[in-house]
Amino acid sequence: MSVTRRLLMAVVGLLSLLVYLAAAYVGYMLLLPVWDSRPSPLMATLVIIGTAIALGVLNYWAATAQLKRSLDAVELSRARVPEVYRRLDTLVDQMDVETPTLLLAELPVPNAFAIGGGAGAIVVDRQLFRLLSVSEFEALLAHELAHLETRDALVQTVAYSLVQTFIGLVGLVVFPIVVLTGGIARSLALLRGDPSSWSRSWLGRAQRYALQVVAGLGFAVTLLILGYSRRRELAADDRAIEITENPLGLARALAKIEQASKPDPGLLRQLYVHNEADSDLSRLLSTHPPMDERIQRLQERAQHGSSARVSKSSGSRR
């Protein structure tokens, strides 16, 4: 490296170092009045949490309204499906929920899901009336009513809003430090005449670790929310079979929906590649537990219930 080029890099490095230090000083002076007039930690926490919850609720209702518009669904009248409404009314009487609106839609795959809270609505795909028996359809309705009963969608949306707010605050605190440490590291590397060495310096490593911590924190909290969502699905299954006392009905409904949602590869079945690692990762990042695990769990509950009834009957005969 020529002396002229090295001198030029040193000048550029010095100037950039001065710019970063000046920016840090100006930022400090601007934040000083804000820090002096800061509210109490309790008040600040309440304001932040309250704002995050309000934004989460608004986002939930806006997303629900947009979803309803995009579905192009029609309301199912009682006159059209009286038996479904009769069973729905029976389920509602046993649960802490108002009678929801039943919406009929044409979804990409056979499915049903609850939207809104309180009375809310249950969206069902047209194909479900062909696929499911009346008892299976009732068990599926009970599952969706369980979601409405505990307002799962609203709770998860608000929780996600709180997480976004928390990660945003962490990022707001870390970002200036990351920019400053990275800028100083690059400036010092230029002063040394080795621009690429900045990432190997302790300042460069500190910047990298700070970014990794923020990213890892966001990923970890996202996994917690997804795990909570999967637990709520299992809880809705449990609530449904508690009300209907028909775990096999729900298991059969889920199995039929799963089967109808998968394309049949026919003779090409053996040519498909299955990656177990990808499967594990997709399950970890899914909002729902694997369907086969849910079905097996319901079948085990049915067997356990049958065994308990047999034992009780045998005991009474003795």
Side-chain angles (χ1 to χ4, degrees), residues 47-214:
V47 169
I48 292 172
I49 293 177
T51 302
I53 292 175
L55 290 176
V57 172
L58 289 175
N59 181 55
Y60 173 74
W61 290 116
T64 299
Q66 182 180 4
L67 178 60
K68 285 183 177 180
R69 289 193 299 269
S70 65
L71 286 174
D72 193 25
V74 296
E75 183 175 348
L76 273 172
S77 64
R78 287 182 176 269
R80 188 174 177 183
V81 284
E83 178 61 20
V84 170
Y85 269 100
R86 186 186 70 79
R87 293 186 178 244
L88 178 64
D89 291 337
T90 301
L91 293 172
V92 168
D93 290 340
Q94 300 176 72
M95 303 175 73
D96 185 19
V97 64
E98 300 176 30
T99 303
T101 303
L102 289 183
L103 299 177
L104 188 65
E106 292 188 6
L107 304 176
V109 294
N111 199 3
F113 55 88
I115 55 178
I122 296 178
V123 180
V124 295
D125 181 63
R126 292 179 182 273
Q127 300 178 70
L128 293 180
F129 289 95
R130 175 178 55 84
L131 288 173
L132 307 182
S133 68
V134 176
S135 62
E136 292 164 357
F137 198 91
E138 179 185 37
L140 190 63
L141 286 178
H143 173 93
E144 300 306 331
L145 285 173
H147 283 307
L148 291 177
E149 188 177 41
T150 52
R151 301 176 185 270
D152 285 338
L154 175 60
V155 171
Q156 290 174 34
T157 303
V158 172
Y160 188 68
S161 177
L162 288 169
V163 168
Q164 284 185 314
T165 301
F166 173 70
I167 298 300
L169 289 173
V170 173
L172 188 64
V173 172
V174 171
F175 180 73
I177 300 174
V178 167
V179 172
L180 182 61
T181 54
I184 293 176
R186 286 180 173 85
S187 300
L188 293 177
L190 286 170
L191 282 172
R192 291 193 300 269
D194 186 7
S196 63
S197 66
W198 75 271
S199 60
R200 299 190 298 272
S201 66
W202 69 271
L203 284 174
R205 291 196 298 271
Q207 182 196 51
R208 184 169 62 254
Y209 294 152
L211 291 174
Q212 290 174 349
V213 167
V214 174

Side-chain angles (χ1 to χ4, degrees), residues 16-76:
S16 63
L17 179 61
L18 293 175
V19 168
Y20 278 110
L21 292 176
Y25 177 76
V26 171
Y28 170 77
M29 295 304 295
L30 291 175
L31 289 175
L32 194 59
V34 177
W35 178 259
D36 291 338
S37 60
R38 70 188 183 281
S40 66
L42 177 61
M43 181 60 66
T45 301
L46 291 176
V47 169
I48 292 172
I49 293 177
T51 302
I53 292 175
L55 290 176
V57 172
L58 289 175
N59 181 55
Y60 173 74
W61 290 116
T64 299
Q66 182 180 4
L67 178 60
K68 285 183 177 180
R69 289 193 299 269
S70 65
L71 286 174
D72 193 25
V74 296
E75 183 175 348
L76 273 172

